Amino acid sequence: MPDSLTRRHFIFRGGIVLAGAALSGCITRPEQTMAGRAVAGVATDEPALRFGLVTDIHYADKNVAGTRVYRDSLAKMQTAVSTLNAAARKDAAGLSFAVTLGDMIDTPDTPEMSPENIAVEIGYLKTIEAAWAKIAAPRHYVLGNHCVYTLTKPEFFANTGARPAPYSFDATYPHGDGAVHFVLLDACFKADGTPYGRRNADWRDTHIPAAQVDWLADDLAKTK
C-alpha cells in the first residue's frame, strides 16, 4: 500500500473493495441476504439499512454566483432534514445515521483574510449546523475543502457536532444479525502533510496522509 492516497484513488480502490465485500457477504452470511439483494438491485419490502446523506450545502449570506444560490442553502438543508426525519419514521428500519459529505459553508463576499471574516464564517457554520442538528439520528461529518478553507479544523469541530477523523463505527442491521462497518477519513491535507485552513487549500492538492492509511489498514484488519 502506498504511503499516501489521493482522495480520487482511495474512492476508486475502496469502492471495489467494499462492493466485493458486500457481494461475498450475502453468499456466506444468511443475515446479509437482504443487503446482497439490495446491492444486486433486487427490490425488497424493507431496507437492509437506511442512512441519510447530504453534501455541498455551501451556505453563505451572499449573492448568487453562477449556479450557486448561497442563501437558499439553509432552506434546502431544512427540507433535507425534514425529509430524512420522515424517512426515519417510515418503518422499523428507522435512520441509522446521517452524514454530511463536506462543504457546509462558503466564504463571505469580501475576499481578504481577516478576523472579521473568520467570525462571519463561524456564524455561517453555526446557522447551518443548527439546521443539521435537528436530524433524528447520529450525525457524522466528512470535511470538505470549503469547510476548512478559511477556518481551521479545530474551529470547525468546536462549532459543530463533528469529531476529528479517522474513526469508524458499525451500523447494525435493523432486521436480523450483522452490521456494516463505516470508516471516516480526512483528505483535507496537502501533499506535504499541511492541513487545510486559513486559505491555504487547493482542491487539486488533496491527500490522505500515511498515518491515516496505516490506521485504515489496522482498523479493517480488526473487523469482519
Side-chain angles (χ1 to χ4, degrees), residues 58-204:
H58 287 279
Y59 173 69
D61 184 12
K62 66 178 183 179
N63 294 328
V64 176
T67 59
R68 292 184 178 173
V69 187
Y70 300 100
R71 292 190 179 100
D72 285 1
S73 294
L74 179 58
K76 290 178 179 179
M77 174 66 96
Q78 292 167 338
T79 299
V81 168
S82 176
T83 301
L84 290 171
N85 284 343
R89 298 188 295 268
K90 182 178 179 181
D91 53 40
L95 193 67
S96 295
F97 66 91
V99 57
T100 173
L101 298 179
D103 288 356
M104 291 181 70
I105 57 172
D106 215 292
T107 55
D109 275 328
T110 51
E112 68 272 7
M113 185 71 247
S114 67
E116 290 75 20
N117 274 349
I118 293 170
V120 167
E121 286 203 33
I122 289 175
Y124 293 165
L125 186 57
K126 288 181 176 179
T127 296
I128 202 68
E129 168 67 7
W132 178 233
K134 292 182 179 179
I135 199 158
R139 303 190 308 282
H140 298 277
Y141 302 70
V142 176
L143 289 176
N145 61 301
H146 281 84
C147 293
V148 287
Y149 180 62
T150 297
L151 305 184
T152 64
K153 293 180 184 183
E155 287 169 343
F156 184 89
F157 298 140
N159 291 283
T160 64
R163 58 188 173 111
Y167 70 90
S168 60
F169 64 94
D170 292 337
T172 58
Y173 293 133
H175 309 287
D177 297 329
V180 179
H181 189 70
F182 290 88
V183 173
L184 279 84
L185 301 176
D186 180 1
C188 285
F189 289 88
K190 301 174 79 171
D192 63 4
T194 303
Y196 284 7
R198 296 293 190 261
R199 307 277 176 101
N200 72 346
D202 181 348
W203 63 268
R204 296 162 297 186

